[in-house]
Amino acid sequence: MSEPFYVTTPIYYVNAEPHIGHAYSTIVADVLNRFYRLTGCKTFFLTGTDEHGDKIVASAEKSGQTPKEYVDRISHLFRMLWPKLNISNDYFIRTTDQNHKDTVRRILSKVNENGDIYFSDYEGLYCVGCERFYTQRELVDGKCPDHQTEPEVIGEANYFFRMSKYQDWLIDHINRHPDFIRPERYRNEVLSFLKEPLEDLCISRPKSRLSWGITLPFDENFVTYVWFDALINYISAIGFPDGEGFEKFWPFSQHIIAKDILKPHGIYWPCMLKSAGIEIYQHLNVHGYWNVNEGKMSKSLGNVVSPLQLMDVYGLDAFRYFLLRDMVFGLDSEFSEEALVGRINADLANDLGNLVSRSLTMVHKYFKGKLPDSGAPEEADKDLKESALDLIDRYETLMKNQAFHKALIAIWEVISKVNKYIDTMAPWVLAKSDCDRLSTVIFHIVETLKIVSALLWPFMPGSAEKIQDQLGLAKKGEALKLDDVRAWGKERAEKPLVKAPALFPRIEEKGLKGEAGKAPRKETRKKEEPMISFKEFQKMDLRIGTIREAEAIPGSKKLLKLTVDVGDERTVVAGLVGHYSEAELPGKQVLVLANLEPVKLMGVESRGMVLAAEDGDDVRLLMPDGNMPPGSIVK
Ligand code: MSP
């Protein structure tokens, strides 16, 4: 029986709406969680929101709400986002939950009883953005390196946690467990920080300055420092101290975070656990930052990328695939929509999408949808089988080491191998000459596709399930496990294979001319548009128009100015140059969208749009089948 697996995301601050950075960490945790489920492990996946502290109070004030109203609202946004991204978390914790607050107080009491808390006067450099004190040497040019702001000097009496006491123990723990913090660059960063004497941690805020927090169990005039409170979520959510979940999952805990919060997780948290007499977490997995235009995403720069918008335009699985394929776990990555579209078209529409659709088409064409048995395999078949089975082992190792992009590259190597195998074996030729070989080849293609779909499930659960469903393999809504696909040929379709529409439609890229002075804007559009309701269709005022006049517009290579009678006479500008001459248009009847917002094109106001069909360079006007009075309604 494999070991259980417990994965956590950071609990996000509720002072900003979720963006792709939050989505990335949560999708990584989801991919890992699903991967361990695929291997047959019992798993637990935790995410949630961090709701106390100065920052939250400031944001609540800005939005004119009480802290409680404010945190309820934003926390809800996070909670509602995750199902839309197909996140399979088992629990969503909020630091304002009563159970969490009780656990924090219990741990504070324990740490205090152990003699690790003392009261002292302190003056320090405090960054409100980070909600922590900085030492001089941590600042860059006197500023917080994360927020580029000068910290405030704050002097007040507070409670302190004797973190310094655990410095040697922590160095030793990290040295003895080389994969405790990974990738290595972050382990080295923590070790290098620990070369200097570790200072004690200020763990309280006086209620006179901040009341939105968890009251200290030993002094009700103070609330708990937000980081001391937040980190404890990882154990309060699974029932510390004597819940079944804690006992079962905590020894197998893995945290996912980005590099911004390495210090609290790599230093404060292990010391807190040690002081409270609790076992240390197993791994800290640290990733880099998604940047936009080579800089940080920020509200003030207006470059915050919304996961929901991307998902709406490109589809959820394409978005998930892109995030995991384009970032090397541990390093920063630059986000661009062009790169996303490139990946969708090349990897998803071309390679994977084509493989699925051509395979299913062949099973239908040659075997009426029923998967044939294999005859005696030849060298090429054995080679494909070996690559597919090897892939499972390579994939397992890569996934356990957070090398997600490499796991995807390995899957795509096999996808391209099957595509080449199909081209070389040419089943369409075998269909005419050698039915036995045809069965063997189709069998090998489908078996490999089965493995590919199983390995893709953590990354693109919806699409993988669709493929398995089309292969007739979906078992009561459960995706195939690794053991199912390792047994080559064992898992057989129980129903006929299904031919279905393209899994990943190509994204068209249209170069649109931008407004004057601005860079041209790229418009991308899915071929498969979302449906519109009949009510929406009825909003369109479509009419028959008779063209009265047509003339060129000076300076325009494309546009003609038409005078069209649609019940009233109006000017409509249309891109017909090169397709129709000015002389041949008057008298023609056309279809006009009459209630399109007026727009000025080359200085001429156009009131409506003439409809035409387009095929590459060819453009043909749409016309009624017989003369109709101008202004006739089209419905
Ligand atoms: N509340 C704390 C975490 C407490 S955990 C006990 C916090 N919250 S946060 O909302 O600021 O989230 C920070 C985390 O969001 C990062 O560690 C990372 O997981 C994710 N990201 C935020 N911006 C990001 C990028 N631009 N790129 C990648 N991930 C980023 O810190």
Side-chain angles (χ1 to χ4, degrees):
M1 187 63 190
S2 19
E3 287 177 343
F5 172 76
Y6 174 35
V7 68
T8 69
T9 71
I11 46 169
Y12 303 109
Y13 285 131
V14 287
N15 64 340
E17 293 188 10
H19 58 58
I20 59 158
H22 306 117
Y24 176 74
S25 306
T26 314
I27 292 173
V28 164
D30 187 58
V31 168
L32 272 178
N33 187 52
R34 288 177 186 271
F35 162 71
Y36 280 95
R37 276 168 61 188
L38 201 63
T39 65
C41 290
K42 283 264 174 291
T43 66
F44 196 88
F45 171 11
L46 174 70
T47 188
T49 42
D50 188 354
E51 306 185 4
H52 291 127
D54 300 320
K55 265 203 275 198
I56 309 299
V57 175
S59 300
E61 269 167 16
K62 242 195 217 161
S63 69
Q65 286 177 301
T66 64
K68 176 77 177 110
E69 285 165 348
Y70 178 78
V71 296
D72 284 351
R73 181 166 67 84
I74 308 282
S75 175
H76 185 75
L77 284 183
F78 277 93
R79 191 194 281 265
M80 290 298 111
L81 171 67
W82 302 138
K84 292 185 187 140
L85 300 188
N86 217 341
I87 298 299
S88 57
N89 57 305
D90 294 286
Y91 193 64
F92 186 96
I93 189 165
R94 300 181 56 184
T95 53
T96 48
D97 291 344
Q98 192 56 47
N99 170 56
H100 171 76
K101 293 196 236 177
D102 294 343
T103 309
V104 170
R105 285 162 62 88
R106 181 196 291 260
I107 288 183
L108 278 164
S109 301
K110 184 82 199 320
V111 172
N112 194 28
E113 280 158 24
N114 289 350
D116 282 347
I117 289 176
Y118 62 92
F119 191 67
S120 165
D121 270 331
Y122 183 77
E123 189 176 88
L125 300 161
Y126 188 77
C127 170
V128 181
C130 299
E131 306 228 19
R132 74 170 176 95
F133 285 99
Y134 269 83
T135 58
Q136 270 299 353
R137 76 185 155 91
E138 284 181 281
L139 302 177
V140 178
D141 298 329
K143 291 182 177 164
C144 158
D146 266 351
H147 295 90
Q148 265 84 54
T149 48
E150 276 181 26
E152 294 168 34
V153 178
I154 290 190
E156 62 193 14
N158 264 311
Y159 286 90
F160 285 79
F161 166 49
R162 277 185 220 285
M163 200 156 69
S164 52
K165 180 172 151 188
Y166 297 99
Q167 176 159 11
D168 292 341
W169 162 81
L170 182 56
I171 295 173
D172 185 54
H173 184 83
I174 297 175
N175 284 330
R176 281 190 297 108
H177 301 87
D179 59 357
F180 175 59
I181 300 174
R182 54 194 185 184
E184 205 184 349
R185 52 173 37 221
Y186 296 111
R187 170 178 183 265
N188 293 341
E189 201 175 312
V190 170
L191 280 175
S192 127
F193 191 84
L194 287 170
K195 281 194 179 127
E196 304 289 331
L198 190 57
E199 287 183 15
D200 290 342
L201 183 67
C202 175
I203 54 151
S204 66
R205 300 290 180 262
K207 280 194 180 166
S208 53
R209 182 159 74 80
L210 173 78
S211 61
W212 183 243
I214 301 174
T215 303
L216 292 182
F218 39 82
D219 189 338
E220 60 178 37
N221 295 315
F222 288 83
V223 294
T224 313
Y225 168 46
V226 67
W227 270 105
F228 202 97
D229 154 359
L231 288 160
I232 290 171
N233 91 87
Y234 299 134
I235 55 174
S236 63
I238 50 171
F240 173 83
D242 35 37
E244 205 184 297
F246 178 72
E247 199 180 307
K248 179 168 171 189
F249 289 110
W250 183 242
F252 306 98
S253 46
Q254 302 208 16
H255 301 310
I256 307 285
I257 59 161
K259 59 184 187 179
D260 55 335
I261 51 178
L262 176 60
K263 197 172 162 191
H265 284 82
I267 297 178
Y268 306 174
W269 183 220
C271 295
M272 285 164 62
L273 287 164
K274 179 73 181 162
S275 166
I278 304 167
E279 193 183 339
I280 311 308
Y281 60 81
Q282 198 180 25
H283 296 294
L284 181 63
N285 305 309
V286 189
H287 64 78
Y289 249 52
W290 281 99
N291 294 322
V292 176
N293 303 332
E294 286 166 24
K296 251 181 126 168
M297 267 180 288
S298 91
K299 232 186 192 171
S300 53
L301 292 174
N303 62 357
V304 175
V305 182
S306 147
L308 282 182
Q309 270 174 15
L310 289 173
M311 195 187 104
D312 279 353
V313 179
Y314 301 107
L316 171 60
D317 279 356
F319 170 60
R320 288 177 58 121
Y321 170 75
F322 171 76
L323 289 184
L324 274 288
R325 174 63 185 81
D326 255 46
M327 180 175 261
V328 176
F329 192 87
L331 302 182
D332 289 355
S333 226
E334 174 73 16
F335 177 81
S336 91
E337 243 171 295
E338 274 80 8
L340 169 59
V341 171
R343 285 260 171 242
I344 295 176
N345 286 345
D347 301 358
L348 300 182
N350 274 4
D351 300 342
L352 175 62
N354 268 346
L355 172 61
V356 175
S357 85
R358 69 202 294 216
S359 308
L360 290 169
T361 302
M362 289 189 290
V363 181
H364 269 270
K365 194 161 169 196
Y366 306 133
F367 298 98
K368 297 200 169 78
K370 193 171 174 306
L371 183 64
D373 288 329
S374 174
E378 293 184 358
E379 264 327 294
D381 315 325
K382 286 185 198 157
D383 180 49
L384 182 65
K385 174 178 169 183
E386 201 179 302
S387 306
L389 290 175
D390 274 358
L391 171 67
I392 303 179
D393 297 335
R394 275 168 72 203
Y395 167 89
E396 269 201 281
T397 311
L398 292 167
M399 296 294 280
K400 284 180 181 161
N401 289 298
Q402 300 81 51
F404 307 112
H405 73 296
K406 284 194 185 159
L408 288 168
I409 291 172
I411 298 175
W412 254 258
E413 280 166 10
V414 169
I415 290 176
S416 97
K417 187 154 189 171
V418 203
N419 272 326
K420 280 200 195 108
Y421 172 84
I422 298 178
D423 297 341
T424 318
M425 293 298 134
W428 43 94
V429 176
L430 294 175
K432 292 182 197 142
S433 57
D434 189 342
C435 213
D436 263 9
R437 273 302 293 149
L438 177 67
S439 304
T440 307
V441 166
I442 297 289
F443 175 88
H444 279 76
I445 296 168
V446 172
E447 275 308 306
T448 310
L449 190 52
K450 203 187 284 180
I451 293 181
V452 164
S453 75
L455 307 193
L456 281 178
W457 183 71
F459 297 96
M460 301 193 282
S463 309
E465 282 164 20
K466 257 191 212 158
I467 298 174
Q468 292 176 10
D469 198 38
Q470 289 167 11
L471 293 175
L473 289 166
K475 298 188 282 184
K476 294 174 230 107
E478 265 277 303
L480 292 179
K481 299 278 179 287
L482 282 193
D483 280 349
D484 297 329
V485 292
R486 242 195 210 103
W488 182 263
K490 186 169 155 259
E491 202 65 40
R492 300 306 303 267
E494 282 162 14
K495 41 187 186 170
L497 281 64
V498 188
K499 253 172 80 181
L503 269 179
F504 303 101
R506 276 188 75 77
I507 308 287
E508 281 176 44
E509 276 191 47
K510 277 193 172 180
L512 277 192
K513 226 174 149 40
E515 295 156 47
K518 287 200 186 152
R521 187 168 63 89
K522 277 224 165 145
E523 187 202 46
T524 47
R525 184 162 66 92
K526 242 189 187 181
K527 261 192 181 160
E528 238 184 25
E529 296 288 3
M531 298 295 204
I532 60 164
S533 64
F534 184 63
K535 216 168 158 190
E536 283 167 309
F537 168 73
Q538 276 183 316
K539 285 189 198 155
M540 292 203 277
D541 179 6
L542 286 166
R543 295 190 220 166
I544 298 297
T546 303
I547 301 179
R548 302 286 181 214
E549 284 169 28
E551 55 183 297
I553 299 180
S556 173
K557 288 190 188 137
K558 279 190 178 170
L559 303 177
L560 289 180
K561 176 180 163 189
L562 310 177
T563 307
V564 188
D565 182 356
V566 284
D568 58 76
E569 259 187 31
R570 57 172 80 191
T571 298
V572 177
V573 175
L576 296 176
V577 172
H579 307 292
Y580 291 91
S581 68
E582 292 150 61
E584 71 182 300
L585 285 169
K588 281 198 190 306
Q589 286 213 305
V590 285
L591 231 70
V592 179
L593 178 61
N595 60 340
L596 193 67
E597 271 181 8
V599 59
K600 241 190 186 163
L601 297 165
M602 299 297 287
V604 180
E605 188 179 63
S606 177
R607 291 177 51 225
M609 181 164 79
V610 169
L611 301 189
E614 201 184 88
D615 178 21
D617 286 341
D618 200 16
V619 172
R620 297 284 92 199
L621 284 167
L622 298 187
M623 299 175 183
D625 178 23
N627 224 357
M628 299 291 287
S632 302
I633 300 299
V634 177
K635 51 181 189 172

